[in-house]
């Protein structure tokens, strides 16, 4: 074959093409490939390719050129071939030729194949870390007997867990080459294998799991079941407190995190603290919460804003960026010691250097004296606009009214009445973090107002990923151009902040922050490495960090290089979020979607088998985005999604407690338990006060059905907290529907199941290094206290025959659009297996579909087509399945909210924001009210028009692909650039795409894909 092929010639081109195709096929054999390398054919093939490239100026022989590349690609499947390719200067040759081909679109197959070869031959690099374990250490009280955490603790101290010691054999290499094929095959096999087929396991079986005597410890969390309200004057004009032990005598006292003995610690019994007594007390404590009234859909934007502005005049502590807040910058201090320096919002200022603020011009000089390098505005003076001290009313009203014509009016107020900057600082003082943070991020202090403009899902420019990959390859070819300088490092205590004016400064040492290391690659390009979850060596996805020292008019490229998921919504139009302090001081305190040239792709940093669960040859992935800043020397924050810290939650709960009308609303905040780090896990009870203390009214009060809600078991899913915020504010509002809802149900809410994970910037785990949503079957009271006691509450309700009507756990989904639900159904699960005959005899109440169906009709972001009611083996220890199977709650759900945006309904084509998330939380409540109104005395006898379940299920069971979460996880069609998505692509890429197009076509209806998406699938 090598005798037939040769340099450029116009003769015998057909024979040449056939010979190249045959040779490429033969070289797939390792033996043949080794023989070709031994005979020096790699260098020959490169020489032939260059010759054809130079002479084929009219691109008539592209197929021959591609045939030569296919031969090179086959040879480089073995390690010897890759080494020979590097030695023959193949990287530079293919890089230069592919760059020359970029101008001609028809030559894209050559560019893509060249890119695949170069990426495959790119030497695998070590992630520049001393260890992939978290930079923060927390010693567990109990070490699990088995599992990843046990393996982590049992590793010898001298083991290098960043790379594998030996990866030299060809088998290991070929394993990485066909990695994608294997994973695709696995998905096909496991789609149905993971579905639970054992009917005995599927049938809900109520089990207390704990002795009744032990469950009585939870009785104190249900005082509403025994409260007689005799001491409450329920018809008095003046609101009176209904909780006799509430502290109504003085200002709030929040002990600092440094104090060893707190009041709560003295009250704790078996790890469960008694009711929090530190109720917020202000002069507005007894004021009716008129400002929580949610505007109606048809309300005029401007008038609602005027109303909000009036309310903010009445309630100065609720202002977000008023004169008080800017002045408050001088008052923030998180120091418990008597040092003369004051730490605030990531900035350190000497007391004597404080500049006074005037309404005309503001300037602050911040000296860098922070021991942990958290300076803002280092060495420079920041001039703030005159509006920064005069409140936000005028400019905000103008900016909003100017865009009111196209703005969608939602049923959630724009300016949150529950944000109080000073109270936030008080909350932070009592928040215990493992790194012992002493700084506050500006966005958490100022708060967030949704921007008054729409943020569409970003159009992906063609070729952006290929461009980024070629720039990565340039690093190897032009190594002298790479700066390779560490500018931020949590692992190195002696690291110092760079002093050069043109180098960005980074910081993540604040609550929920996550950024471990930053390396400057080129003048305006930085590689960023995320910290793994504490007591874990993976889960890199959540990021939240601060950047300062920027210039305007320059595109800064940020590459987060140690991501692990194989795909991301960053490939489908999602943008990261940025918060500008300058904009906040100019009355625009908003997180906004930013970034261009965004893509997510496999990189050349290798993951050790320790980090990849025993699999060898795995690589990390890169999120890359480019940002041009609006203001020079601004302080900006970047985040994966809208941050919502534990301290923010505590502040919101305090404000809700202080602002509610105790004659109308029964609101109670308890401490369910303490976390591993000693933070309290709040438990909230909300319902309506009884009409009077007469027997009938008290009975009606006590007999209301329970709704049990929880959220934020996964710290990186911050959208779940924003949905929960919408739920809580709606439940506490004066809306007549909200009052009806309170009169219908008693709400038990755990708004944050994983406070420690949230505080310390984890993505998925708690301090135990485990996913808490996989611990519901057998939670350990020492390692998983919040899950243990949350389950205990539900077990107690089951024991006293007061099962919740609905249980819902709020989550976020990283790879799907819209909001949707997972539920549990025996019949639907059986229909998606091969055991169809057995399911014919099953009788099942279809009521589990009612609430999702209602939400699909009332909530614009909700998509019924993405819902699934299949029970998988891999999810058997999640809250949804355990509460359904063990506790016996038929309507047990996980509600998933997108991190990206919507591809259907009113918000189609838009990225999701906090306004839409909070609206979803409110709409969930409206759905519960409709569920109540639809229920007859038989409770589940629902109109057939709403729930024509049987036909729907029969139709769905006939589909080729079952709507399990395996399908749902892969929510997007393959995009046009997938040919260069993986470094280890196979030759049959086009065939594979054609074969799989049918699968994706079958799921279009379920996944809510748009027509353009469907077209894109078929085109690819």
């Amino acid at each position: 074959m090598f005798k037939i092929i040769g340099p450029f010639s116009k003769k015998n081109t057909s024979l040449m093409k056939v010979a190249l195709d045959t040779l490429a096929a033969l070289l797939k054999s390792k033996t043949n490939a080794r023989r070709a390398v031994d005979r020096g054919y790699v260098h020959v093939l490169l020489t032939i390719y260059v010759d054809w490239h130079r002479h084929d100026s009219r691109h008539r022989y592209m197929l021959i050129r591609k045939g030569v590349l296919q031969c090179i690609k086959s040879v480089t499947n073995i390690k010897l071939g890759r080494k020979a390719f590097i030695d023959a200067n193949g990287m530079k040759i293919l890089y230069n030729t592919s760059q020359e081909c970029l101008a001609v679109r028809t030559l894209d197959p050559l560019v893509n194949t060249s890119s695949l070869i170069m990426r495959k031959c790119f030497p695998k690099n070590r992630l520049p870390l001393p260890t992939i374990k978290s930079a923060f250490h927390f010693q567990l009280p109990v070490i699990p007997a088995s599992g990843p955490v046990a393996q982590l603790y049992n590793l010898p101290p001298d083991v290098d867990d960043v790379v594998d010691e030996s990866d030299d054999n060809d088998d290991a290499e070929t394993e990485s080459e066909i990695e994608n094929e294997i994973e695709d095959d696995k998905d096909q096999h496991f789609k149905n294998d993971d579905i639970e087929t054992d009917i005995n396991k599927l049938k809900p079986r109520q089990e207390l799991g704990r002795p009744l005597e032990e469950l009585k410890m939870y009785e104190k969390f249900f005082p509403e079941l025994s409260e007689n309200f005799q001491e409450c004057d329920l018809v008095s004009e003046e609101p009176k407190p209904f909780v006799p032990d509430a502290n109504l005598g003085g200002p709030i006292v929040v002990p600092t995190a440094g104090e060893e003995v707190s009041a709560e610690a003295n009250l704790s019994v078996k790890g469960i603290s008694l009711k929090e007594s530190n109720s917020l007390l202000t002069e507005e404590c007894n004021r009716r919460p008129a400002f929580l009234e949610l505007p109606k859909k048809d309300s005029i934007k401007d008038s609602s804003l005027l109303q909000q502005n009036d309310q903010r005049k009445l309630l100065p502590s609720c202002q977000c960026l008023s004169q008080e807040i800017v002045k408050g910058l001088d008052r923030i201090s998180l120091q418990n010691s008597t040092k003369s320096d004051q730490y605030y919002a990531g900035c350190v200022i000497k007391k004597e250097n404080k500049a006074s603020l005037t309404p005309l011009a503001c300037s602050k000089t911040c000296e860098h004296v922070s021991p942990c390098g958290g300076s803002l505005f280092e060495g420079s003076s920041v001039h703030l606009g005159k509006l920064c001290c005069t409140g936000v009313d005028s400019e905000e009203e103008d900016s909003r009214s100017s865009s009111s014509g196209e703005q969608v009016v939602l049923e959630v107020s724009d300016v949150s009445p529950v944000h109080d900057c000073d109270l936030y600082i008080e909350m932070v003082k009592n928040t215990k973090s493992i790194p012992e943070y002493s700084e506050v991020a500006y966005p958490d202090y100022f708060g967030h107002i949704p921007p008054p403009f729409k943020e569409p899902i970003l159009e992906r420019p063609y070729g952006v990923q290929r461009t980024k990959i070629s720039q990565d390859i340039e690093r190897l070819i032009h190594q002298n151009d790479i700066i390779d300088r560490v500018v931020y490092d949590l692992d190195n205590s002696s690291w110092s902040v760079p002093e050069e004016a043109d180098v960005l400064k980074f910081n993540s040492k604040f609550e929920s922050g996550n950024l471990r290391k930053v390396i400057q690659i080129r003048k305006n390009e930085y590689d960023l490495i995320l910290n793994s979850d504490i007591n874990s060596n993976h889960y890199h996805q959540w990021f939240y960090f601060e950047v300062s020292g920027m210039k305007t008019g320059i595109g800064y490229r940020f590459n987060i290089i140690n991501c692990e998921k194989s795909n991301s919504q960053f490939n489908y139009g999602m943008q990261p979020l940025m918060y500008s302090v300058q904009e906040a001081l100019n009355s625009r305190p908003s997180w906004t979607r930013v970034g261009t040239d965004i893509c997510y792709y496999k990189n050349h940093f290798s993951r050790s088998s320790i980090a990849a669960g025993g699999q060898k040859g795995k690589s990390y992935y890169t999120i890359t985005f480019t940002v041009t800043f609006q203001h020079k020397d601004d302080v900006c924050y970047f985040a994966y999604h809208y941050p919502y810290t534990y301290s923010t939650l505590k502040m919101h709960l305090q404000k809700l407690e202080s602002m509610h009308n105790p004659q109308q609303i029964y609101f109670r905040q308890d401490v369910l338990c303490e976390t591993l780090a000693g933070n309290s896990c709040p438990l909230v009870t909300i319902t309506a006060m009884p009409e009077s203390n007469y027997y009938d009214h008290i009975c009606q009060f006590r007999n209301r059905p329970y709704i049990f809600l929880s959220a934020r078991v996964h710290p990186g899913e911050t959208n779940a907290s924003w949905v929960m915020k919408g739920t809580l504010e709606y439940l506490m509002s004066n809306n007549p529907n909200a009052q009806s809802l309170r009169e219908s149900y008693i709400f038990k809410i755990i708004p944050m199941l994983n406070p420690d994970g949230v505080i310390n910037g984890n993505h998925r785990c708690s301090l135990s290094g485990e996913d808490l949503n996989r611990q519901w079957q057998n939670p350990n009271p020492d390692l998983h206290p919040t899950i243990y006691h949350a389950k205990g509450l539900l077990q107690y309700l089951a024991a006293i025959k007061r099962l919740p009507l609905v249980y819902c756990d709020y989550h976020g989904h990283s790879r799907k659009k819209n909001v949707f639900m997972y539920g549990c159904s025996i019949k639907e699960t059986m229909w998606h297996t091969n055991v169809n005959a057995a399911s014919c005899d099953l009788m099942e109440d279809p009521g589990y579909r009612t609430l999702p169906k209602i939400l699909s009709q009332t909530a614009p972001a909700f998509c019924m087509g993405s819902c699934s009611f299949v029970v998988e083996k891999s999810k058997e220890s999640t809250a949804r399945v355990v509460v359904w199977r063990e506790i016996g709650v038929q309507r047990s759900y996980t509600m998933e909210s997108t991190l990206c945006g919507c591809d259907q309904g009113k918000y189609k084509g838009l990225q999701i924001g906090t306004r839409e998330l909070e609206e979803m939380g409110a709409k969930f409540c409206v759905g519960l009210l409709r569920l109540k109104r639809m229920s007859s005395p038989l409770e589940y006898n629902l109109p057939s028009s709403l729930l024509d379940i049987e036909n729907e299920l029969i139709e769905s069971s006939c589909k080729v692909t079952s709507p399990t979460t395996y399908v749902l996880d892969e929510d997007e069609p393959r995009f046009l650039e997938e040919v260069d998505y993986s470094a280890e692509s196979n030759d049959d890429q086009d065939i594979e795409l054609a074969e799989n197009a049918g699968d994706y076509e079958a799921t279009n209806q379920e996944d809510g894909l748009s027509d353009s998406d469907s077209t894109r699938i078929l085109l690819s």
Side-chain angles (χ1 to χ4, degrees):
M1 287 298 168
F2 264 96
K3 290 178 181 176
I4 298 173
I5 65 172
F8 179 79
S9 170
K10 294 183 180 179
K11 297 177 183 178
N12 301 322
T13 52
S14 298
L15 178 62
M16 180 87 163
K17 172 71 179 74
V18 174
L20 283 168
D21 289 346
T22 309
L23 185 61
L26 287 170
L27 289 172
K28 285 186 176 179
S29 156
K30 284 190 205 173
T31 309
N32 289 337
R34 285 196 193 96
R35 195 180 304 164
V37 172
D38 292 341
R39 294 180 184 180
Y41 286 167
V42 174
H43 179 74
V44 175
L45 285 168
L46 284 166
T47 308
I48 291 172
Y49 180 73
V50 171
D51 191 64
W52 279 89
H53 173 79
R54 285 176 180 164
H55 290 93
D56 184 23
S57 55
R58 295 192 177 183
H59 314 304
R60 291 178 178 175
Y61 306 107
M62 191 187 81
L63 289 178
I64 291 177
R65 290 156 69 181
K66 186 174 181 184
V68 179
L69 287 177
Q70 293 290 359
C71 292
I72 297 171
K73 184 180 168 190
S74 295
V75 175
T76 51
N77 278 344
I78 64 168
K79 187 165 187 176
L80 282 172
R82 291 195 285 276
K83 186 177 185 304
F85 178 82
I86 295 286
D87 293 343
N89 205 18
M91 294 290 281
K92 194 165 188 178
I93 290 168
L94 287 195
Y95 175 79
N96 290 334
T97 54
S98 61
Q99 290 299 303
E100 290 167 17
C101 293
L102 284 175
V104 184
R105 189 75 176 261
T106 53
L107 297 182
D108 275 1
L110 300 182
V111 177
N112 290 335
T113 309
S114 298
S115 176
L116 284 169
I117 295 167
M118 287 187 286
R119 296 185 67 200
K120 186 163 51 173
C121 296
F122 201 119
K124 287 289 177 80
N125 284 4
R126 173 196 172 95
L127 203 64
L129 290 175
T131 173
I132 52 171
K133 287 185 289 191
S134 173
F136 308 129
H137 177 69
F138 178 80
Q139 183 63 41
L140 292 176
V142 180
I143 310 299
S146 60
V149 180
Q151 292 171 10
L152 204 68
Y153 272 82
N154 292 330
L155 273 180
D158 55 341
V159 167
D160 184 356
D161 61 354
V162 182
V163 292
D164 291 319
E165 286 182 16
S166 175
D167 197 13
D168 293 340
N169 61 61
D170 287 326
D171 292 337
E173 297 300 333
T174 50
E175 190 176 338
S176 68
E177 290 148 26
I178 56 174
E179 176 187 343
N180 282 346
E181 286 181 87
I182 292 171
E183 285 182 357
D184 286 344
D185 290 343
K186 272 185 184 174
D187 279 351
Q188 294 299 323
H189 293 312
F190 285 133
K191 261 175 202 171
N192 287 329
D193 283 356
D194 189 43
I195 298 177
E196 184 58 77
T197 56
D198 186 341
I199 292 185
N200 293 323
K201 284 189 177 179
L202 280 173
K203 285 180 179 174
R205 54 183 195 282
Q206 261 188 269
E207 296 177 352
L208 288 183
R210 290 160 68 180
L212 189 59
E213 286 302 312
E214 189 181 325
L215 289 173
K216 282 185 178 176
M217 67 191 289
Y218 298 104
E219 187 178 352
K220 64 184 176 187
F221 294 110
F222 298 90
E224 64 273 9
L225 297 179
S226 55
E227 177 72 74
N228 57 21
F229 300 98
Q230 295 306 310
E231 296 179 14
C232 296
D233 186 1
L234 294 173
V235 292
S236 168
E237 289 292 325
E238 278 298 310
K240 275 189 167 183
F242 57 88
V243 182
D245 62 344
N247 175 16
L248 298 174
I252 179 170
V253 179
V254 183
T256 61
E259 291 182 27
E260 292 182 6
V261 181
S262 66
E264 286 179 6
N266 294 332
L267 295 171
S268 63
V269 180
K270 293 187 182 179
I272 299 186
S273 302
L274 296 176
K275 182 182 185 303
E276 281 186 322
S277 59
N278 53 348
S279 306
L280 178 70
L281 199 57
T282 62
E283 71 275 358
E284 69 214 48
C285 180
N286 294 325
R287 187 176 288 125
R288 289 175 63 84
F291 42 83
L292 277 176
E293 180 70 45
L294 300 174
K296 291 188 173 63
K297 261 188 182 175
D298 55 353
S299 64
I300 300 169
K301 191 79 177 174
D302 292 349
S303 65
S304 67
L305 276 163
L306 287 169
Q307 183 185 359
Q308 288 161 8
N309 291 335
D310 290 340
Q311 289 157 1
R312 285 158 63 204
K313 286 170 188 170
L314 288 169
L315 299 167
S317 64
C318 297
Q319 293 181 5
C320 286
L321 261 182
S322 66
Q323 200 169 6
E324 296 299 317
I325 286 180
V326 180
K327 286 179 180 175
L329 287 175
D330 287 335
R331 298 199 302 272
I332 304 174
S333 174
L334 294 183
Q335 286 298 90
N336 297 325
S337 61
T338 56
K339 291 183 181 178
S340 61
D341 297 349
Q342 282 197 336
Y343 288 67
Y344 71 91
C347 185
V348 182
I349 295 187
K350 290 281 188 182
K351 286 188 177 178
E352 59 269 21
N353 287 346
K354 280 187 274 184
S356 60
L357 297 173
T358 67
L360 297 174
C362 300
S363 65
K364 282 188 178 157
T365 305
C366 301
E367 291 184 6
H368 172 63
V369 293
S370 169
C372 48
S375 168
L376 308 184
F377 316 125
E378 183 197 352
S380 62
S381 176
V382 177
H383 298 281
L384 309 178
K386 63 181 180 179
L387 286 172
C388 76
C389 296
T390 56
V392 298
D393 296 357
S394 57
E395 182 166 337
E396 182 186 318
E397 197 171 340
D398 292 341
S399 66
R400 288 181 184 278
S401 60
S402 66
S403 62
S404 60
E406 58 182 47
Q407 181 62 32
V408 179
V409 180
L410 305 180
E411 293 190 17
V412 177
S413 57
D414 286 336
V415 181
S416 173
V418 293
H419 190 87
D420 183 325
C421 306
D422 293 333
L423 180 58
Y424 183 80
I425 298 302
E426 289 303 310
M427 296 297 102
V428 172
K429 288 179 183 178
N430 205 32
T431 296
K432 299 166 186 174
S433 62
I434 303 309
E436 298 182 348
Y437 292 131
S438 60
E439 304 174 35
V440 176
Y442 272 116
D444 303 323
Y445 174 74
F446 281 138
H448 158 76
I449 298 174
F453 47 82
K454 297 176 182 177
E455 296 181 296
I457 290 172
L458 199 66
E459 276 292 322
R460 181 190 179 90
Y462 181 79
V464 61
Q465 180 167 294
R466 194 171 58 194
T467 305
K468 298 300 177 186
I469 290 166
S470 68
Q471 289 173 4
D472 287 351
I473 291 167
E474 283 175 19
R475 296 190 191 188
L476 189 68
I477 298 169
H478 307 297
Q479 293 186 9
N480 293 335
D481 297 343
I482 303 303
I483 298 171
D484 198 29
R485 177 189 175 188
V486 177
V487 295
Y488 183 71
D489 192 356
L490 283 184
D491 293 291
N492 185 359
S493 56
S494 61
W495 162 84
S496 60
V497 178
E499 297 179 0
E500 293 87 340
D502 58 348
V503 179
L504 293 180
K505 296 158 188 66
F506 294 82
N507 182 32
S508 62
K509 297 174 182 174
F510 45 79
E511 188 175 346
S512 293
N514 190 319
L515 181 63
R516 182 171 189 166
K517 190 171 186 175
V518 182
I519 301 165
Q520 186 181 16
I521 299 301
R522 299 180 177 95
K523 187 177 179 184
N524 300 314
E525 182 180 353
Y526 297 84
D527 277 359
L528 282 60
I529 301 174
L530 304 180
N531 196 19
S532 57
D533 287 4
I534 292 174
N535 277 316
S536 168
N537 56 18
H538 55 137
Y539 298 119
H540 309 101
Q541 194 166 334
W542 168 256
F543 58 86
Y544 182 19
F545 58 88
E546 171 198 292
V547 178
S548 59
M550 65 285 291
K551 294 179 180 177
T552 54
I554 296 172
Y556 291 93
R557 179 181 170 185
F558 300 97
N559 312 307
I560 298 172
I561 63 172
N562 64 332
C563 302
E564 292 166 323
K565 287 198 174 183
S566 60
N567 207 346
S568 166
Q569 282 291 322
F570 284 115
N571 275 333
Y572 302 97
M574 185 168 85
Q575 294 173 282
L577 285 145
M578 189 183 85
Y579 190 103
S580 162
V581 174
Q582 284 280 16
E583 288 292 298
L585 293 172
N586 288 330
S587 305
R588 289 181 292 273
S590 301
W591 283 100
T592 54
R593 302 274 186 174
V594 297
T596 56
D597 294 347
I598 300 170
C599 60
Y600 186 94
Y601 59 92
K602 184 177 288 188
N603 60 33
H604 53 271
F605 290 102
S606 61
R607 289 165 66 184
S608 66
S609 59
I610 295 172
Q615 294 176 288
K616 284 194 172 185
K618 287 264 197 178
S619 297
Y620 284 105
Y621 290 78
T622 291
I623 301 170
T624 181
F625 57 93
T626 302
V627 175
T628 304
F629 296 98
Q630 289 184 328
H631 305 285
K632 184 184 178 185
D633 291 329
D634 195 358
V635 178
C636 293
Y637 292 80
F638 289 95
Y640 178 66
H641 199 67
Y642 300 92
Y644 190 102
T645 65
Y646 171 70
S647 298
T648 300
L649 170 69
K650 290 201 298 180
M651 173 192 68
H652 282 164
L653 293 179
Q654 289 281 25
K655 291 297 288 184
L656 288 172
E657 183 168 5
S658 69
M659 295 187 299
H660 83 284
N661 176 7
Q663 276 196 309
Q664 190 178 24
I665 302 174
Y666 181 104
F667 178 95
R668 180 181 170 90
Q669 186 184 165
D670 293 295
V671 176
L672 175 64
C673 62
E674 284 200 345
T675 63
L676 291 175
N679 294 292
S680 60
C681 177
L683 170 67
V684 175
T685 306
I686 299 173
T687 188
M689 289 291 282
E691 286 184 46
S692 73
N693 49 20
Y694 294 138
Y695 177 79
D696 288 353
H697 291 151
I698 297 295
C699 281
Q700 189 276 337
F701 173 87
R702 291 178 181 174
N703 288 318
R704 292 168 188 165
Y706 275 95
I707 303 288
F708 202 108
L709 307 177
S710 59
R712 206 67 185 282
V713 71
H714 295 143
E717 296 168 6
T718 57
N719 46 358
S721 281
W722 288 99
V723 176
M724 180 58 78
K725 178 175 182 282
T727 294
L728 286 167
E729 290 190 18
Y730 185 86
L731 288 176
M732 297 295 287
S733 72
N734 281 343
N735 189 307
N737 284 338
Q739 179 61 19
S740 298
L741 197 59
R742 291 190 296 266
E743 290 169 358
S744 302
Y745 300 114
I746 299 173
F747 287 85
K748 283 289 177 188
I749 303 174
I750 306 175
M752 194 171 282
L753 277 167
N754 190 353
D756 288 346
V758 171
I759 293 164
N760 294 289
N762 284 7
H763 173 68
R764 188 121 184 135
C765 301
S766 68
L767 292 185
S768 71
E770 296 164 299
D771 181 346
L772 289 182
N773 203 35
R774 296 294 184 277
Q775 310 304 324
W776 278 78
Q777 267 188 326
N778 295 296
N780 183 311
D782 297 316
L783 291 176
H784 325 117
T786 60
I787 305 302
Y788 182 81
H789 295 301
K791 187 177 181 181
L793 292 176
L794 288 157
Q795 288 170 323
Y796 176 76
L797 284 173
I800 63 170
K801 311 298 183 191
R802 293 295 301 271
L803 272 183
L805 177 67
V806 172
Y807 170 76
C808 190
D809 193 20
Y810 293 3
H811 281 253
H813 205 289
S814 66
R815 295 203 281 187
K816 276 190 68 63
K817 291 185 169 68
N818 310 310
V819 181
F820 53 95
M821 276 178 157
Y822 293 140
C824 301
S825 161
I826 304 176
K827 210 160 189 176
E828 291 198 46
T829 303
M830 299 306 293
W831 269 344
H832 290 294
T833 67
N834 298 322
V835 200
N836 288 330
S839 64
C840 296
D841 303 327
L842 282 173
M843 293 299 292
E844 185 177 38
D845 191 328
Y848 62 88
R849 271 188 173 248
T850 318
L851 185 57
K853 195 83 175 177
I854 292 169
L855 292 176
S856 70
Q857 295 172 353
T858 57
F862 195 89
C863 176
M864 187 69 187
S866 294
C867 295
S868 170
F869 304 93
V870 176
V871 179
E872 304 97 333
K873 297 172 188 173
S874 61
K875 304 292 172 65
E876 65 181 5
S877 196
T878 60
R880 162 179 63 103
V881 177
V882 170
V883 172
W884 171 73
R885 183 183 288 165
E886 293 184 25
I887 310 295
V889 178
Q890 184 204 22
R891 294 184 174 94
S892 179
Y893 306 104
T894 297
M895 186 161 74
E896 301 271 2
S897 301
T898 179
L899 292 159
C900 178
C902 298
D903 58 16
Q904 53 86 48
K906 187 165 79 169
Y907 304 131
K908 182 177 180 178
L910 298 179
Q911 293 186 78
I912 204 155
T914 57
R915 191 188 279 116
E916 292 79 20
L917 292 167
E918 289 184 51
E919 180 195 49
M920 186 64 235
K923 292 290 188 184
F924 181 82
C925 296
V926 175
L928 291 173
L929 188 60
R930 187 173 290 190
L931 177 68
K932 173 75 175 177
R933 288 173 178 169
M934 286 171 57
S935 300
S936 69
L938 295 173
E939 191 175 343
Y940 299 120
N941 185 14
L942 298 158
S944 58
S945 59
L946 181 76
L947 294 171
D948 194 3
I949 301 299
E950 210 70 21
N951 289 335
E952 278 185 36
L953 293 180
I954 291 166
E955 283 172 20
S956 67
S957 69
C958 296
K959 290 179 181 174
V960 178
T961 314
S962 61
T964 69
T965 48
Y966 280 104
V967 179
L968 292 171
D969 280 351
E970 297 302 326
D971 63 311
E972 298 288 356
R974 303 181 173 208
F975 53 91
L976 293 176
E977 282 192 84
E978 180 148 23
V979 70
D980 80 328
Y981 179 73
S982 166
E984 296 85 12
S985 177
N986 58 353
D987 289 327
D988 305 321
Q989 185 85 26
D990 297 335
I991 299 166
E992 183 188 328
L993 284 174
E995 288 173 351
N996 285 341
D999 287 350
Y1000 281 100
E1001 209 175 349
T1003 58
N1004 279 357
Q1005 184 182 358
E1006 290 166 4
D1007 290 352
L1009 299 177
S1010 65
D1011 292 339
S1012 61
D1013 287 331
S1014 307
T1015 310
R1016 199 184 314 152
I1017 302 163
L1018 298 173
L1019 285 174
S1020 62

